[in-house]
Amino acid sequence: MTTRTETRTPFKPNWLARLGWLGVLAYCVYAGSSLDFTWARFIEGLANGAKFLGEMVPPNFDRWRLLVSNLIETVEIAVIASAFGIAASLPIGLCGARNLMPEWMTWPARTLIAICRSFHPVIFAILFVKAVGFGPLAGILTLIFLSIGFIGKLFCEAIEEISLKPVEAMKAAGAPFMSVLVFGVLPQVFNRFIGFATYQFDANLRNSTMVGIVGAGGIGGTLFAAFQRFDYDFLAAILIAIIALIMVSEYISLKIKAIFND
């Protein structure tokens, strides 16, 4: 005898959902044809890619002095931007926490955070290059904005998830507001804030190699110039150096988090 439980299926038939999937598939086919995405072009691209990779080998490290000086500038941009961006995001994120601050304070803070998260790093870099000119200052301002947007938002959400019991207990005991923040709020979010900060430093290091493409300092400018000159062996050396830099950053981030988590 077949019971109702035995005939039950994990996915209930839903014709509306199936029609939706068919619609998505049909739109992908249409979009692919309208964008001139063909199989022949893909095969041709693979051949061009193999030729491009062949010209990158072996990497050319003859201009290592230029490479090292650009990497140092990239690290400087990332470190300065991370320091100022993280320092600014702490009070801004605190002001945006709805469970601690009045509404007239949270809306401006959250609006600022939303503006800082609105654009891609390259768009911010173009705006700052237009405002302050070519060079590392434009890159630093770009990464500060990005840091406020990312850490500010995550810090707001982390504070809104804390337990309010210790906060209410300290308020009932007559503790001043700063004491409530320092001893009631920050201990609950400090480890997460360290995690956000180390991740943002890692992201700033990667983004600082990209904003240089539009003239905001760092190794991105040299990378773009190597592309334009078809200097692919030097380009390979730059890419290897960037990968090594990111791996070192990852190692340092792990060490920093281990120190604060002990």
Side-chain angles (χ1 to χ4, degrees), residues 1 11 26-27 37 42 62 69 72 80 119 126 133 152 176 180 182 198 203 210 237 255:
M1 180 178 177
F11 298 102
Y27 181 77
F37 180 76
F42 177 70
D62 290 344
S69 66
I72 291 173
I80 295 172
F119 301 115
I126 293 172
V180 173
V182 172
T198 53
M210 183 169 55
K255 290 296 182 184

Side-chain angles (χ1 to χ4, degrees), residues 7-19 21:
T7 58
R8 187 177 297 168
T9 57
F11 298 102
K12 187 178 179 181
N14 188 326
W15 287 103
L16 188 60
R18 292 176 181 178
L19 288 175
W21 282 114

Side-chain angles (χ1 to χ4, degrees), residues 18-261:
R18 292 176 181 178
L19 288 175
W21 282 114
L22 285 175
V24 171
L25 180 62
Y27 181 77
C28 288
V29 173
Y30 164 76
S33 61
S34 65
L35 295 175
D36 193 23
F37 180 76
T38 61
W39 181 252
R41 187 173 178 183
F42 177 70
I43 297 298
E44 183 182 356
L46 288 179
N48 291 335
K51 181 182 178 184
F52 172 64
L53 291 176
E55 293 177 357
M56 292 176 68
V57 179
N60 182 0
F61 287 95
D62 290 344
R63 284 166 280 178
W64 63 271
R65 288 186 177 83
L66 174 65
L67 195 58
V68 170
S69 66
N70 281 318
L71 281 177
I72 291 173
E73 185 177 271
T74 299
V75 173
E76 289 172 345
I77 291 172
V79 170
I80 295 172
S82 298
F84 283 96
I86 292 168
S89 65
L90 182 62
I92 294 173
L94 195 61
C95 291
R98 296 189 182 97
N99 57 342
L100 292 181
M101 299 299 178
E103 192 172 344
W104 62 267
M105 188 177 287
T106 58
W107 276 109
R110 286 186 170 268
T111 301
L112 176 60
I113 290 171
I115 292 172
C116 293
R117 297 177 57 248
S118 298
F119 301 115
H120 191 272
V122 172
I123 297 177
F124 266 129
I126 293 172
L127 295 176
F128 281 115
V129 165
K130 284 291 183 183
V132 300
F134 293 102
L137 179 59
I140 291 171
L141 294 174
T142 298
L143 299 183
I144 287 176
F145 262 63
L146 294 175
S147 301
I148 292 173
F150 179 76
I151 299 184
K153 178 177 174 57
L154 293 181
F155 197 47
C156 276
E157 294 176 354
I159 293 175
E160 290 178 350
E161 293 172 0
I162 65 172
S163 170
L164 291 177
K165 291 180 180 178
V167 175
E168 291 170 354
M170 293 185 70
K171 285 182 178 178
F177 184 68
M178 286 304 297
S179 297
V180 173
L181 290 180
V182 172
F183 299 106
V185 176
L186 291 182
Q188 297 189 59
V189 295
F190 184 70
N191 284 342
R192 295 179 69 180
F193 183 73
I194 294 298
F196 300 152
T198 53
Y199 178 81
Q200 186 58 39
F201 174 70
D202 186 68
N204 282 344
L205 205 54
R206 284 183 277 112
N207 289 329
S208 65
T209 64
M210 183 169 55
V211 296
I213 293 174
V214 294
I219 201 169
T222 307
L223 181 74
F224 187 59
F227 264 118
Q228 288 184 312
R229 294 194 308 265
F230 306 102
D231 197 358
Y232 296 137
D233 53 354
F234 184 50
L235 173 68
I238 296 173
L239 294 178
I240 291 172
I242 292 175
I243 292 171
L245 183 65
I246 298 301
M247 292 179 70
V248 171
S249 164
E250 179 71 19
Y251 178 77
I252 294 173
S253 298
L254 288 175
K255 290 296 182 184
I256 292 174
K257 282 191 281 189
I259 291 172
F260 286 99
N261 289 331

